Every structure is written in C-alpha cells, then in structure tokens.
C-alpha cells in the first residue's frame, strides 16, 4: 500500500557549536573537529563539524508532525526502528542553516505490524543537499495510555509548523566528491575493536540532546507495554556510537560518505548496571578508481548482535589507517 505524504519545514534550524559539542558528548565522540575550532580548520573546515548522526535531532520534530498526520494509528512508542541509511553529501558545520523535507514513501502490512518507509532530506540555505536519510519503521497498533501520561510534554514552539507540499520533492542523493591519493585501506584490513558503555543516564541525556523523548528509552512501564523486557537504548544512539567508532578508525568524520544499519536486537539497559557494546570493522572492498572503500561494521553486547547488517563507505585520502589508538 503506497502512501505518498510530504512535508517541508517552513523555518530553518541553525546549527550551534555548543549543540555540536553536546551531541558529540552524547554519542561519546571525542574527535577534536567536534570540539575545537582550530582542529576543524586544520582539516579544511571553517567551523566545528557535527558528528555523522547529528541531523537525526533536526528531523525528529518534523517527523513527529508527519507521523501524527500520516501514521496516527501508531503511538510513538509503538513505532520501532528497524533500519537507517544515511547518505552524507557534505559535513554539517556550526552556523549552517538547514531545512528538512520528509516523505512517507510506503506502508506495507505484515504479520507483525506495518512496515513504514520514510525518506528525509536535509538541505542548506542554498537548497543544496546535506544529507539524505532512508528510515524503516515497524508500526504496531494498540493503546498506549502509559506513554501518553508519562512521556515528556509536547510543547508547541512559536514558529510556523511544517507544511504539506504538493508533488514529490526531489530527494535523490547526489554523487558527492571523491579524493584521489594513496591509502592504507586495503581489502581484509580489520580495525581494532572498541567497547562503549551505556547507562540509563546516557539514555536520558541522549533523549534530551536529540529530542527523541520516546519513554521506552527510560520508563519500565512504557517499555513493557510495547513488548520489551526493559528500557532500551535509542537505535540512533547505538548507530551514533558506531559512527564514533568509524570516525576513530578513519581519523576524520568527513571521510564517511554512506552509513547504513539494519537493527537486529534492542540494547537493553538494566537499572543497576551499565551495558557494554563492542564494535569491530573490516574493509570489505576498495574501489581505487572511485576513491572509495566499503567497510562492514559489527556491534554486539554480551547477549546478542545489535546490528543484522551495517556498512559504511569512506573516501580514500590519507596514507594511513588511523591517527589515534583505539582502546
């Protein structure tokens, strides 16, 4: 069943340098280009650059409006994140003024619920694409009184809401640019593993920083009502940690061109102890004429795999694999 539905923001989001730092802290990304102006300039950027998954915090308010209009049958806590694919056309920088376009591409009934596919395009003030994101959700119908009563209040900001547009906007990604040069990224290279730790405090912090305040990430009652064992980490938080790991492997966030994750299992966070997430990555293929390398990423807890499939595309640039050791 195809459900064309489009929204375009009528106001812009201005990227702040402190917001970049807050988000970098939330996804545990300590790359200097997110924190220090001189470090960003040394990499050729006029201002701080944002972590790879930063734009999820821009799209969430517009997505709420979209879901309330086009997917009203599903309470927000019953829209489960299955897959995310990000195409990066250029880095997001402090001072950028960005607009958002969203399209509900389709809704397909399945035995477990409805598969919902959404495309989000982020453009700068000149209308050029910055990121294109494809999201797959599983919508499960049902009452969610607990989520309504315990969730954070939805306060209407005194700015024009997103408006519906007629006709399908052009959300196709551009080719991006490449970079010639030698590199030590070779097929079969395995990067050192790295472990990140999440607590419930980290989930609350990410909810505030990203704007994703779905109570399944911090309230037991709502999580269990949604069929979960306990509260779970945000899918975009685990994906953000994966991007942080890739940034360490590749030395600079600007090297990433595409990043896609198919979520396999939720990451449960107990109330009395943290959960460790271990990431590893391997170079699967190198396209020398195209100046690109394809990287396969794995993530797991002590109990299970987090990603069913995760890949990233990076441009070839420096004659080195990484500039910092991974602990």
């Amino acid at each position: 069943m195809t459900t064309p539905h489009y929204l375009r923001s009528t106001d812009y989001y201005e990227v702040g340098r402190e917001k970049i730092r807050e988000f970098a802290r939330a996804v545990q990304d300590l790359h200097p280009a997110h924190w220090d102006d001189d470090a960003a300039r040394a990499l050729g950027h006029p201002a701080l650059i944002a972590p790879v998954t930063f734009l999820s915090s821009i799209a969430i308010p517009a997505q709420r409006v979209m879901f309330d209009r086009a997917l009203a049958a599903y309470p927000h806590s019953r829209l489960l994140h299955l897959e995310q694919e990000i195409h990066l056309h250029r880095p997001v920088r402090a001072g950028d003024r960005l607009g958002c376009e969203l399209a509900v591409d389709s809704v397909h009934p399945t035995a477990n619920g409805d598969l919902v596919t959404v495309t989000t395009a982020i453009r700068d003030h000149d209308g050029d694409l910055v990121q294109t994101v494809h999201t797959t959700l599983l919508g499960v119908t049902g009452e969610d009184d607990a989520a309504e009563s315990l969730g954070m209040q939805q306060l209407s900001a005194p700015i024009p809401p997103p408006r519906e547009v007629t006709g399908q906007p052009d959300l196709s990604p551009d080719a991006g640019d490449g970079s010639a040069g030698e590199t030590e990224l070779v097929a079969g290279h395995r990067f050192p593993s790295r472990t990140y730790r999440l607590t419930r405090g980290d989930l609350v912090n990410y909810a505030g920083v990203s704007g994703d305040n779905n109570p399944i990430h911090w309230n037991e009652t709502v999580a269990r009502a949604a069929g979960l064992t306990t509260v779970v980490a945000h899918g975009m938080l685990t994906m953000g940690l994966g991007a942080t790991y890739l940034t360490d492997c590749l030395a600079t966030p600007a090297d990433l061109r595409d990043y896609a994750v198919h979520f396999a299992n939720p990451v449960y966070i107990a109330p009395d102890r943290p959960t460790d997430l271990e990431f590893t990555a391997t170079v699967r293929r190198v396209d020398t004429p195209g100046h690109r390398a394809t990287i396969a990423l794995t993530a797991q807890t002590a109990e299970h795999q987090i990603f069913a499939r995760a890949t990233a595309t990076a441009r070839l640039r420096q004659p080195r694999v990484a500039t910092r050791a991974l602990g």
Side-chain angles (χ1 to χ4, degrees):
M1 176 175 62
T2 301
T3 307
H5 205 96
Y6 310 105
L7 288 177
R8 179 181 296 133
S9 59
T10 53
D11 193 25
Y12 61 83
Y13 178 100
E14 185 162 352
V15 180
R17 54 198 299 277
E18 294 311 316
K19 188 67 175 181
I20 287 176
R21 289 169 171 170
E22 288 178 3
F23 195 92
R25 184 182 295 109
V27 295
Q28 303 181 34
D29 193 336
L30 301 180
H31 192 282
H34 305 317
W35 298 84
D36 182 74
D37 294 306
D38 290 338
R41 282 192 287 267
L43 292 175
H45 305 286
L48 296 185
I49 59 175
V52 170
T53 58
F54 176 84
L55 289 185
S56 61
S57 62
I58 299 176
I60 284 173
Q63 285 176 342
R64 286 202 192 98
V65 176
M66 168 76 80
F67 295 160
D68 288 342
R69 293 184 184 181
L71 305 171
Y74 316 109
H76 291 169
S77 65
R78 291 180 180 269
L79 283 168
L80 306 180
H81 202 170
L82 297 183
E83 191 165 1
Q84 187 91 347
E85 182 178 344
I86 303 174
H87 301 283
L88 302 106
H89 308 292
R90 72 160 174 86
V92 176
R93 308 181 186 99
D96 277 343
R97 293 184 173 186
L98 305 174
C100 181
E101 300 171 10
L102 295 99
V104 174
D105 300 315
S106 64
V107 179
H108 294 290
T110 72
N112 298 319
D114 290 340
L115 281 179
V116 182
T117 59
V118 180
T119 298
T120 305
I122 307 292
R123 298 182 185 273
D124 61 23
H125 217 51
D126 295 324
D128 295 327
L129 277 170
V130 177
Q131 281 191 15
T132 307
V133 181
H134 303 288
T135 305
T136 303
L137 305 161
L138 179 67
V140 181
T141 58
E143 297 297 325
D144 222 343
D145 295 336
E148 293 298 322
S149 61
L150 295 172
M152 294 175 65
Q153 297 184 71
Q154 298 298 322
L155 302 178
S156 298
I159 59 174
R163 62 179 175 84
E164 291 198 58
V165 296
T166 58
Q168 183 169 0
D170 179 14
L171 304 183
S172 58
D174 58 18
D177 60 349
S179 176
E182 299 298 324
T183 178
E184 292 181 19
L185 287 177
V186 295
H189 176 80
R190 183 178 176 86
F191 295 100
S193 66
R194 180 166 181 176
T195 299
Y196 297 85
R197 177 163 289 182
L198 287 179
T199 66
R200 290 203 174 180
D202 294 319
L203 304 193
V204 173
N205 179 60
Y206 185 82
V209 170
S210 70
D212 186 350
N213 51 30
N214 189 332
I216 65 171
H217 303 303
W218 52 268
N219 185 275
E220 294 277 357
T221 302
V222 177
R224 288 181 180 139
L228 302 167
T229 303
T230 186
V231 300
V232 295
H234 306 70
M236 289 306 301
L237 174 54
T238 61
M239 190 174 183
L241 292 175
T244 296
Y245 170 67
L246 290 169
T247 294
D248 275 340
C249 292
L250 299 171
T252 169
D255 281 346
L256 281 180
R257 283 293 179 261
D258 304 283
Y259 180 32
V261 168
H262 184 103
F263 299 101
N265 292 291
V267 177
Y268 292 107
I269 309 296
D272 56 347
R273 64 183 183 278
T275 297
D276 289 339
L277 292 72
E278 182 184 17
F279 291 84
T280 59
T282 302
V283 179
R284 292 300 187 201
R285 183 172 63 255
V286 173
D287 175 15
T288 303
H291 314 302
R292 302 292 176 94
T294 301
I295 300 170
L297 178 70
T298 65
Q300 64 183 41
T301 64
E303 290 77 26
H304 51 231
Q305 292 287 330
I306 302 168
F307 303 153
R309 181 180 67 257
T311 58
T313 302
R315 66 172 179 168
L316 309 181
R317 49 175 293 149
Q318 301 288 347
R320 56 188 176 187
V321 170
T323 58
R324 292 185 286 146
L326 299 178

